[in-house]
């Protein structure tokens, strides 16, 4: 049967008028019509506004959420693709959006200005959960099984040639093999490249660590292709759920000393909304528990590399999981 896109034009126009002050816009205002298996409608009568950030993974998560909650009977306003993190976040704080996928590291560092590195994903989620509930009555649901954090990767042949599986393995290589590609932002971050090298005992601009000539700074997008070619670097900074990791057959190295903060994906719901519709907890949990790093690499790649529409990818995945029909 041909899939039908559900237009959200009237709801979108009204909501955009309401949100004009904070600049929130929709990526397309559409998602695919569907129903739950057996025709169940646990959210019948609920009106829910789903928003997301504008990058691929955020939009995908928003489309998955909009499609699934609408299939469960909710009247969903689709405001996925809000530019930047501030507009979607502010819309939720203002009460103009109800559901938003966030990251625990973002909540900890960007929203609450914390500098302590908490390596355990569950502990970090709990800390962020408690602050957000106390200060903003936002409910951070149990985190998904993916972590969109920083990492270093190598091409599969290079990883095999050098025998590396972790960043400690990289630290044990001869100095000449410790070559890195990073972007300017990551190079300069207080939780980025330079302190990472210190953590692993190979300090920057040190002849016995990582000489400055061993580091090439370039645009973030170019890092992936440079790493895949192993030129001019053996190791490149990547995001763990980026579709190019799988597409370019990169080997992600284990951060065995737990330097990088976890960025576990988490559905965040306004407290009043989840109180009125407690079914949201189980519905969003059903989605969260299925999301892994490998799956997000695949779904992101279908959009960024294959050029598919996020609404199509979201629908196809929910259908493949038999969550909708």
């Amino acid at each position: 049967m041909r899939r039908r896109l559900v237009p959200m034009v009237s709801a979108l126009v009204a909501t955009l008028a309401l949100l004009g002050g904070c600049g929130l816009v929709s990526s397309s205002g559409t998602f695919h019509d569907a129903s739950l298996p057996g025709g169940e409608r646990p959210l019948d009568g609920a009106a829910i506004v789903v928003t997301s950030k504008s990058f691929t993974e955020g939009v995908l998560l928003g489309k998955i959420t909009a499609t699934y909650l609408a299939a469960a009977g909710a009247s969903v306003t689709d405001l996925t693709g809000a530019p930047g993190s501030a507009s979607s976040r502010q819309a939720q704080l203002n009460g103009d959006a109800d559901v938003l996928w966030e990251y625990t590291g973002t909540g900890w560092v960007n929203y609450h200005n914390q500098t302590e590195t908490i390596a355990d994903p569950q502990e970090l989620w709990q800390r962020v959960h408690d602050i957000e509930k106390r200060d903003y009555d936002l409910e951070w649901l149990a985190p998904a099984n993916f972590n969109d954090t920083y990492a270093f990767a190598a091409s599969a042949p290079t990883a095999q040639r050098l025998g590396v599986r972790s960043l400690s393995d990289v630290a044990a290589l001869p100095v000449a093999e410790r070559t890195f590609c990073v972007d300017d932002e990551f190079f300069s971050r207080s939780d980025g490249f330079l302190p990472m090298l210190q953590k692993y005992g190979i300090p920057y601009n040190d002849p016995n660590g990582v000489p400055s000539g061993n580091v090439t700074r370039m645009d973030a997008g170019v890092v992936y292709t440079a790493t895949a070619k192993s030129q001019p670097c053996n190791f490149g900074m990547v995001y763990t759920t980026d579709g190019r990791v799988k597409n370019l057959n990169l080997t992600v190295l284990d951060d065995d000393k737990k330097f990088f903060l976890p960025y576990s994906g988490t559905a965040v719901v306004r407290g009043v909304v989840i109180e009125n519709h407690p079914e949201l907890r189980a519905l969003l949990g059903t989605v969260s528990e299925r999301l892994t790093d490998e799956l997000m690499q695949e779904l992101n790649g279908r959009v960024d590399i294959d050029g598919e529409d996020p609404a199509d990818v979201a629908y196809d995945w929910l259908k493949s999981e038999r969550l909708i029909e």
Side-chain angles (χ1 to χ4, degrees):
M1 183 177 68
R2 183 178 177 85
R3 297 179 307 197
R4 180 173 66 87
L5 280 172
V6 180
M8 304 300 298
V9 176
S10 59
L12 178 62
V13 170
T15 308
L16 286 180
L18 176 67
L19 299 178
C22 68
L24 189 61
V25 298
S26 171
S27 61
S28 66
T30 57
F31 52 86
H32 287 288
D33 191 18
S35 59
L36 295 189
E40 296 181 21
R41 295 175 62 85
L43 291 178
D44 203 20
I48 296 175
V49 180
V50 176
T51 188
S52 81
K53 301 174 185 181
S54 59
F55 64 99
T56 296
E57 186 168 278
V59 173
L60 269 170
L61 292 168
K63 295 296 184 186
I64 288 171
T65 302
T67 304
Y68 191 49
L69 298 186
S75 175
V76 173
T77 299
D78 177 2
L79 291 176
T80 50
S85 59
S87 54
S88 54
R89 166 77 171 177
Q90 193 58 52
Q92 193 171 50
L93 292 176
N94 292 346
D96 297 325
D98 301 317
V99 183
L100 167 67
W101 280 82
E102 280 285 8
Y103 298 87
T104 52
T106 302
W108 187 243
V109 174
N110 296 80
Y111 299 155
H112 297 290
N113 301 311
Q114 300 295 320
T115 57
E116 180 186 358
T117 297
I118 300 175
D120 181 74
Q122 189 66 25
E123 181 185 351
L124 180 61
W125 169 80
Q126 189 68 61
R127 297 276 289 272
V128 173
H129 169 278
D130 294 350
I131 295 172
E132 290 278 284
K133 185 66 177 176
R134 180 195 68 205
D135 293 352
Y136 301 112
D137 194 26
L138 292 177
E139 186 72 26
W140 285 57
L141 301 183
N145 294 313
F146 74 92
N147 177 23
D148 187 7
T149 191
Y150 295 109
F152 274 85
S155 70
T158 293
Q160 184 174 14
R161 175 178 67 85
L162 296 175
V164 293
R165 295 184 179 182
S166 69
L167 289 175
S168 287
D169 291 340
V170 173
L173 291 173
V175 172
E177 299 286 8
R178 298 180 202 143
T179 55
F180 298 88
C181 289
V182 299
D183 66 16
D184 285 332
E185 191 265 347
F186 181 71
F187 183 89
S188 303
R189 285 180 67 99
S190 60
D191 59 349
F193 185 59
L194 301 186
M196 183 213 76
L197 294 180
Q198 288 284 353
K199 177 78 171 183
Y200 280 91
I202 46 173
Y204 178 68
N205 205 20
D206 185 314
N208 297 314
V210 178
S212 59
N214 283 26
V215 180
T216 304
R217 295 160 69 171
M218 57 179 64
D219 181 78
V222 182
V223 170
Y224 288 82
T225 53
T227 305
K229 295 175 181 177
S230 300
Q231 288 292 334
C233 56
N234 288 327
F235 309 104
M237 186 279 292
V238 300
Y239 296 100
T240 49
T241 61
D242 194 293
R244 289 167 291 188
V245 171
K246 181 177 181 179
N247 180 261
L248 295 171
N249 193 28
L250 302 180
T251 297
V252 177
L253 303 176
D254 180 33
D255 175 22
D256 54 307
K257 291 191 175 182
K258 307 300 181 187
F259 171 79
F260 293 118
L261 193 69
Y263 279 74
S264 302
T266 307
V268 182
V269 186
R270 291 200 300 127
V272 66
V273 174
I274 206 161
E275 287 173 15
N276 292 334
H277 306 289
E279 303 86 358
L280 283 168
R281 192 179 299 276
L283 288 165
L284 291 169
T286 296
V287 170
S288 288
E289 66 188 14
R290 288 169 163 79
L291 302 178
T292 64
D293 287 358
E294 293 76 15
L295 174 68
M296 296 313 300
Q297 288 172 11
E298 177 187 342
L299 299 184
N300 288 330
R302 287 178 59 180
V303 176
D304 289 334
I305 297 165
D306 301 335
E308 296 185 50
D309 188 292
D312 294 342
V313 176
Y315 178 91
D316 289 345
W317 177 74
L318 287 165
K319 189 87 169 178
S320 73
E321 292 291 312
R322 298 182 179 178
L323 294 177
I324 59 171
E325 57 185 21

